[in-house]
Each structure stands twice: as structure tokens, then as C-alpha cells.
Amino acid sequence: MPTVEVGDLKDDDFLLDVREDDEWQAGHAAGALHIPISEFVARYGELTEAAPQDGRINVICRSGGRSAQVTMYLVQQGLDAVNVAGGMQQWEAAGRPVVTDAGGPGFVV
């Protein structure tokens, strides 16, 4: 499983958040693309349009399980994808910003 640590991510790295809507609304990484795992296959085209053509897709969920599934799927499709170790829990613990859609402070549920 290709994996990246939260501390190794740069602010401008492409981030795909596969958590469900309620988790996203509580708080997420600014600039992340949100496609819930439950809708992922149906919305796959949104990812291919938004992702950098020759860049890596960093996939994140709450703790790393769901994002691992999506990462494996993307790798099977021939895309450069990695699972963010520890997910949003690790993101928050590392002091990275968690925001709401309105731009205010958020939290990880």
C-alpha cells in the first residue's frame, strides 16, 4: 500500500477526502476535494477532472481504512495515489488546519 505521512505533505499537494458528508461538514483540510467513498465510483469523473495530470493523489479519510480502499482502486486504474497514514485524526493531531465550508475552525469526528 503506497502511503504518505501527514508531515510529508506540502500545503499545495492534491488531497482527496473520501469521508462521508457529516464528517466533511464537521471539518476538513482546506482545498481538499470531497468525494465520499459511498459515491466514489459514480463520481470518479470528478476526480479525474480535478486531479493534477502528472501529480500524486493523496487520499484521506478519518483514520486510513476507507482511504486505503480508494487508494488501491486508484492504483489499479494506473493512477499515482497514496494513502495518508492516520487520516484526518493524524492531520488534526499534527496541528494541520481543519476548517468548515464557511472557513471557520472545524474538528474531526
Side-chain angles (χ1 to χ4, degrees):
M1 166 70 57
T3 304
V4 65
E5 299 294 327
V6 167
D8 293 331
L9 292 172
K10 296 185 228 71
D11 289 342
D12 61 346
D13 283 343
F14 185 81
L15 191 64
L16 170 65
D17 189 325
V18 297
R19 296 174 303 146
E20 295 302 320
D21 287 335
D22 61 327
E23 296 171 287
W24 171 266
Q25 290 168 3
H28 54 270
L33 173 65
H34 179 229
I35 303 177
I37 192 170
S38 62
E39 302 172 13
F40 186 75
V41 174
R43 294 177 57 189
Y44 179 73
E46 291 177 43
L47 171 64
T48 58
E49 288 179 19
Q53 295 301 314
D54 295 321
R56 185 174 69 187
I57 301 168
N58 301 285
V59 188
I60 197 165
C61 66
R62 182 173 182 265
S63 61
R66 290 171 287 178
S67 53
Q69 293 173 33
V70 172
T71 298
M72 289 307 299
Y73 176 81
L74 295 174
V75 168
Q76 290 170 353
Q77 304 309 307
L79 299 173
D80 181 9
V82 295
N83 188 30
V84 178
M88 285 299 296
Q89 289 178 322
Q90 185 59 40
W91 180 276
E92 186 176 50
R96 302 293 288 262
V98 178
V99 298
T100 64
D101 282 339
F107 59 94
V108 176
V109 294

